[in-house]
Amino acid sequence: MTLPQAMERGRHFPMADVRASRQAGDRTRLALLVIALLVVGSVFSMLFSVTTGASDASILDVISNMAGSERALSTRDRIIIFDIRLPRAILGFLIGASLAVSGTVMQGLFRNPLADPGLVGVASGASLGAVTIIVLGGSLAAPLTALLGIYALPAAAFGGGLVTTLLLYRIATRHGQTSVATMLLAGIALGALALAMTGLLIYMANDQQLRDLTFWSMGSLAGATWTKIAAAGPIILLSFTALPFMARGLNAITLGEAAAFHVGVPVQRLKNVAIVGVAAATGASVAVSGGIGFVGIVVPHILRMAIGPDHRFLLPAAALLGGSLLIFADVLARTLVAPAELPIGIITAAVGGPFFLWILLRQRSRLAL
């Protein structure tokens, strides 16, 4: 059918255009409704987290205390909620949001539904930095440990992720242009190299260090403090400031880099901002929580099935859902075997692994898997 014929046919079927317009509008309204529900769910997850545990303070007591009533909570409950649980909930939300958004950005940038922040080597590099401090903190890395004290571990993890990202850029960028394919392959190679060096350090570790490494590698929010929030929070939030400017470019790049360039998207700048943002957010998250898997893969898939692939809605929804899910996972981690505590990575893997397999089985014909 030629273009004039199609235009002529369109004149005879105006209702088709109306229905298409309504469907597009319905999807937008659905996305806005889902985001509104996720905002409410995020607030509820925070309140649920700070009121779940040994303290018998209720949600109403916590809200009353936040409103200025000193009688609503005892001194003991205020310490438990505002010095232990609240920073843990806030840090968990920030980490879950950063992992989910990073996964969404990577999947959009690489046009690959299996893309993950680990593909650029950030998680492996951060793990290498942390393992170095745990194993060598009393010998070769003693000066750094003495200088930074309790901040030595997160600083080393963030530094390892940053160094890995810089190496990745040097390898993947040529004549001012960054190849996504080269970046993907280089990230896998650098991640494998970091894992090999991590394995060597683990081989050198003693029994106590091996125990610390095991729990750190599985992820935990047990050490959450206001100080850690002050260290990681600004980096994560600063990365999020670029999201509104990336949504249009990520929508266009799904059609290919050439098509995105021809519609006016600065593709190279988009890739630079995306990779640096993912490196900063993921590195800061791994630095304070350890390895937490599946959030960056599962959350974008859930939301694409619900609200579609439009990154204008997908990115904020991923931040809200990722943060809420990690808070609920943390509540399970500290209540299932109370008074002990499970590493949160076990919860996310136990839930995310089977769910991700279900997604693959459901969509394997469309994904050609």
Side-chain angles (χ1 to χ4, degrees):
M1 181 184 299
T2 64
L3 180 59
Q5 290 174 332
M7 294 175 64
E8 182 65 25
R9 182 178 179 181
R11 293 192 185 98
H12 293 88
F13 294 93
M15 290 304 298
D17 296 332
V18 173
R19 285 194 295 269
S21 177
R22 286 179 178 175
Q23 290 174 357
D26 289 343
R27 196 65 175 229
T28 299
R29 289 194 292 270
L30 175 62
L32 293 174
L33 175 62
V34 169
I35 290 175
L37 293 175
L38 288 175
V39 171
V40 175
S42 299
V43 175
F44 173 78
S45 67
M46 296 282 288
L47 292 174
F48 181 71
S49 177
V50 300
T51 56
T52 301
S55 172
D56 57 358
S58 67
I59 291 180
L60 292 178
D61 292 336
V62 174
I63 295 176
S64 298
N65 191 266
M66 289 180 175
S69 175
E70 295 294 332
R71 298 181 180 178
L73 294 175
S74 65
T75 301
R76 170 180 170 272
D77 287 343
R78 280 198 297 270
I79 293 174
I80 292 174
I81 289 174
F82 294 106
D83 293 340
I84 299 175
R85 292 185 187 168
L86 186 58
R88 182 166 180 155
I90 293 175
L91 187 64
F93 186 88
L94 288 174
I95 292 171
S98 70
L99 294 176
V101 169
S102 296
T104 305
V105 170
M106 296 303 293
Q107 290 174 18
L109 185 66
F110 289 130
R111 304 187 298 279
N112 188 331
L114 303 181
D116 179 77
L119 288 177
V120 297
V122 179
S124 299
S127 297
L128 175 60
V131 170
T132 300
I133 290 296
I134 293 174
V135 176
L136 303 179
S139 54
L140 294 178
L144 180 62
T145 304
L147 177 64
L148 299 178
I150 61 174
Y151 305 107
L153 181 62
F158 181 74
L162 182 61
V163 169
T164 305
T165 304
L166 293 175
L167 286 174
L168 182 67
Y169 257 82
R170 288 297 300 269
I171 295 172
T173 303
R174 185 177 183 183
H175 303 305
Q177 298 294 318
T178 303
S179 168
V180 172
T182 303
M183 183 180 296
L184 180 62
L185 295 174
I188 294 173
L190 289 174
L193 180 60
L195 288 176
M197 297 174 67
T198 300
L200 179 61
L201 289 170
I202 291 176
Y203 179 78
M204 298 167 55
N206 57 37
D207 290 342
Q208 181 59 44
Q209 291 169 345
L210 285 173
R211 183 176 177 83
D212 293 341
L213 288 170
T214 300
F215 281 97
W216 188 90
S217 65
M218 289 186 289
S220 176
L221 298 176
T225 61
W226 291 110
T227 302
K228 287 188 176 181
I229 293 175
I235 298 173
I236 295 173
L237 294 176
L238 183 61
S239 301
F240 286 174
T241 59
L243 296 182
F245 306 100
M246 294 172 55
R248 174 177 171 269
L250 290 174
N251 284 342
I253 209 170
T254 56
L255 302 175
E257 293 186 18
F261 178 79
H262 286 299
V263 298
V265 175
V267 176
Q268 184 60 32
R269 186 190 307 170
L270 174 66
K271 289 189 283 189
N272 291 342
V273 173
I275 294 301
V276 171
V278 167
T282 307
S285 300
V286 172
V288 295
S289 68
I292 299 176
F294 286 99
V295 177
I297 294 181
V298 172
V299 169
H301 280 281
I302 296 175
L303 291 172
R304 284 193 184 93
M305 289 189 294
I307 64 176
D310 191 338
H311 287 86
R312 294 176 301 165
F313 309 116
L314 196 59
L315 291 172
L320 294 169
L321 182 58
S324 299
L325 287 181
L326 197 62
I327 287 178
F328 282 118
D330 180 57
V331 171
L332 288 175
R334 59 186 173 85
T335 57
L336 284 179
V337 293
E341 182 176 320
L342 285 173
I344 194 172
I346 292 178
I347 302 296
T348 58
V351 176
F355 186 83
F356 186 55
L357 288 175
W358 175 76
I359 292 175
L360 291 178
L361 292 175
R362 187 181 179 201
Q363 300 188 0
R364 59 183 174 182
S365 60
R366 187 162 62 89
L367 297 175
L369 294 178

